[in-house]
Amino acid sequence: MTDKTSNKMWGGRFAAGPDAIMEAINASIDFDKRLAAQDIAGSRAHAAMLAATGIVSDSDADAMREGLLTVLSEIESGEFPFSKALEDIHMNVEARLKEVIGEPAGRLHTGRSRNDQVATDFKLWVRDQLDACDAALVALMKTCLAQAEAGADWVMPGFTHLQVAQPVTWGHHMMAYVEMFGRDLSRVRDARARMNECPLGAAALAGTSFPIDRDMTAKELGFDRPAANSLDAVSDRDFALEFLSVASICAMHLSRMAEELVIWSSAQFRFVSLSDRFSTGSSIMPQKKNPDAAELIRAKIGRIFGANVALTLVMKGLPLAYSKDMQEDKEQVFDAADNLMLALAAMDGMVRDMTANKEALEAAAGAGFSTATDLADWLVRVLGLPFRDAHHVTGALVAKAEAKGCDLPELSLEEMQSVHGEIDETVYDVLGVHNSVASRMSYGGTAPEQVRMQVGRWKEILG
């Protein structure tokens, strides 16, 4: 005999048995209450449309719209008594509206369903997040631009495989992140444009027999148009998946930059100093200044990418139209959005406050035979050697410098001529790191002139 008040299968977690288990798994109010503002905006637009089309009276619509503002005020002030028994934000709002205005509240749901209601609310929320992300990316890009402009002609080592490759400028390195975040910004704006179709009025899945005006509600809520297929409108979560995809790529870019800040701020590199506002100390090692904010940003990609995978798996096997599985769409998106915005704000603060060590950057720029490619190019350009031959000669000179324990510019002309007799003293003009970066004048190159041009271009784009 089953005791309804205690379910051994679930242990002590659900003392009230199957009814409590069903309520717990079915309810979403603990998290979807974040949709309150969007839910009320959608309901107010719907009420106005019901009156404009003659489906409800003007007086009932006015009562609903004013009552909804009262409910919103209670939610925003923290006075609203959310009920898990009412399952979700939609039923909680509607139940409270009935208490506030009485019988007219029962007419609010005419011509719609919770299916199109939640799709509309969620789209509005994701759209707000895309707008917030847009603003945060623009702010971060402007911060990177300021760093790039200040150090447009500061030399530093460029790396491949984290090994010194060729000299670049600090400004050029900062502008690489401007380009990355610029693509993120483009994806944010593309996603927003693509998702801006209104599901409201699709009802449960087939539309409605009431003479609703979907263009009116779409316009009122800032959508470009109503969604064209009612089945798709209530079952589509592409907008959430695309947001998570955009967020994952952006978080990956933030993680890459965070990794460089961790490396650059180390005692071994000393390329940058992070401010105390974005660093922490050690409980036992008084000399430590840890780049914790950068490390935490670096970790955010795991949460955000995990959310992307989780929602993809929720959606992958669902038949049309709505299934309760889709209630699992929100928590992942909420968490990803919160962490992306936090990471963007933290990175903006770190880059804004950090100080680049010009002297350390320049000292490292010439190490590791970083001008070897310039030497090879000089052999091609001045002596007319085929590049493969120039590559071989340069490799021999690098080996000679390595054996001597010096860098290329410190080899004597006689030592160079022992490898190739036609080398003359003008070779030293290309072996300095400043000369090296100044020569990289191809479009998109590291030359200070090119860096300043790109800074100007992005300033114009961002306004």
Side-chain angles (χ1 to χ4, degrees):
M1 187 173 190
T2 302
D3 182 356
K4 197 173 181 180
T5 63
S6 66
N7 189 318
K8 292 182 180 179
M9 178 178 176
W10 294 98
R13 179 66 182 88
F14 292 100
D19 290 346
I21 295 169
M22 185 59 202
E23 181 180 288
I25 198 171
N26 193 51
S28 59
I29 188 60
D30 287 345
F31 53 87
D32 70 14
K33 61 187 176 184
R34 290 187 67 167
L35 300 176
Q38 290 78 17
D39 189 70
I40 288 171
S43 290
R44 294 187 81 242
H46 186 67
M49 180 275 296
L50 291 176
T53 54
I55 297 171
V56 303
S57 68
D58 288 343
S59 61
D60 280 352
D62 289 343
M64 288 187 278
R65 285 169 58 81
E66 288 303 311
L68 286 164
L69 289 180
T70 299
V71 174
L72 179 61
S73 176
E74 291 175 354
I75 293 172
E76 290 177 341
S77 67
E79 299 172 1
F80 189 90
F82 290 105
S83 168
K84 186 167 286 191
L86 290 170
E87 295 183 11
D88 56 32
I89 186 61
H90 324 296
M91 298 305 293
N92 270 263
V93 168
E94 189 172 326
R96 179 59 183 148
L97 182 64
K98 186 172 183 180
E99 293 174 353
V100 173
I101 68 171
E103 186 262 347
R107 296 188 172 89
L108 178 59
H109 212 52
T110 308
R112 73 175 185 183
S113 161
R114 274 196 293 181
N115 292 355
D116 62 335
Q117 189 179 358
V118 67
T120 302
D121 295 356
F122 198 21
K123 264 198 176 184
L124 289 171
W125 193 91
V126 170
R127 193 176 70 183
D128 288 344
Q129 297 308 301
L130 287 168
D131 289 343
C133 190
D134 187 309
L137 279 166
V138 168
L140 176 55
M141 290 170 71
K142 287 182 176 180
T143 298
C144 291
L145 282 173
Q147 284 280 0
E149 190 168 30
D153 56 1
W154 299 359
V155 291
M156 66 175 290
F159 298 92
T160 60
H161 310 280
L162 203 56
Q163 305 294 314
V164 172
Q166 295 176 319
V168 296
T169 53
W170 170 257
H172 194 54
H173 203 115
M174 286 294 101
M175 289 305 296
Y177 285 106
V178 172
E179 293 292 333
M180 284 189 201
F181 297 134
R183 292 192 295 275
D184 292 325
L185 183 63
S186 175
R187 278 184 282 269
V188 164
R189 292 175 177 178
D190 284 350
R192 192 194 193 284
R194 193 162 21 258
M195 60 90 76
N196 207 33
E197 296 182 342
C198 185
L200 195 58
L205 75 162
T208 178
S209 59
F210 290 97
I212 62 173
D213 185 346
R214 294 192 62 209
D215 288 300
M216 178 180 173
T217 47
K219 183 177 180 182
E220 176 71 18
L221 294 171
F223 289 104
D224 295 330
R225 65 192 71 84
N229 183 284
S230 60
L231 285 167
D232 179 55
V234 298
S235 62
D236 166 43
R237 292 299 183 269
D238 287 5
F239 62 92
L241 287 165
E242 192 162 4
F243 170 73
L244 291 175
S245 177
V246 168
S248 294
I249 297 172
C250 182
M252 177 269 292
H253 288 154
L254 290 168
S255 181
R256 293 183 71 181
M257 191 173 201
E259 170 70 2
E260 294 212 306
L261 294 183
V262 170
I263 294 170
W264 289 352
S265 62
S266 69
Q268 289 73 24
F269 275 73
R270 297 187 302 108
F271 284 3
V272 300
S273 295
L274 300 178
S275 74
D276 291 347
R277 296 200 310 152
F278 294 96
S279 306
T280 64
S282 165
S283 62
I284 63 169
M285 295 173 284
Q287 83 281 11
K288 294 292 293 297
K289 185 177 180 181
N290 300 323
D292 281 10
E295 292 171 352
L296 290 166
I297 289 172
R298 190 173 58 186
K300 295 298 184 186
I301 179 65
R303 297 178 69 143
I304 294 169
F305 188 72
N308 192 15
V309 172
L311 183 54
T312 302
L313 291 174
V314 166
M315 296 299 299
K316 75 172 183 66
L318 300 187
L320 294 177
Y322 182 82
S323 297
K324 194 69 171 181
D325 310 50
M326 292 165 68
Q327 184 168 288
E328 294 295 312
D329 59 358
K330 296 171 196 66
E331 285 180 283
Q332 305 286 352
V333 177
F334 291 161
D335 184 74
D338 290 347
N339 281 281
L340 178 63
M341 292 306 300
L342 183 58
L344 283 165
M347 184 60 78
D348 185 31
M350 274 195 300
V351 175
R352 189 183 303 276
D353 285 3
M354 77 180 180
T355 303
N357 186 340
K358 182 181 178 182
E359 291 72 26
L361 291 168
E362 184 163 349
F369 312 107
S370 67
T371 55
T373 306
D374 297 279
L375 174 56
D377 290 346
W378 183 89
L379 292 168
V380 172
R381 188 173 58 251
V382 176
L383 301 186
L385 269 64
F387 183 79
R388 285 302 165 203
D389 292 348
H391 188 283
H392 178 76
V393 170
T394 302
L397 288 169
V398 167
K400 184 177 284 291
E402 196 168 34
K404 188 180 175 183
C406 68
D407 210 340
L408 285 170
E410 297 170 291
L411 288 175
S412 68
L413 181 60
E414 291 74 18
E415 287 170 319
M416 289 195 180
Q417 288 174 339
S418 70
V419 175
H420 194 286
E422 295 181 42
I423 296 175
D424 61 42
E425 66 279 355
T426 63
V427 72
Y428 293 100
D429 293 338
V430 302
L431 294 181
V433 290
H434 287 281
N435 290 333
S436 173
V437 297
S439 71
R440 307 290 175 180
M441 278 294 294
S442 57
Y443 181 81
T446 192
E449 185 177 329
Q450 283 292 317
V451 171
R452 293 187 177 101
M453 184 180 76
Q454 295 297 338
V455 168
R457 180 175 72 89
W458 273 107
K459 279 186 173 181
E460 186 174 340
I461 292 169
L462 297 177

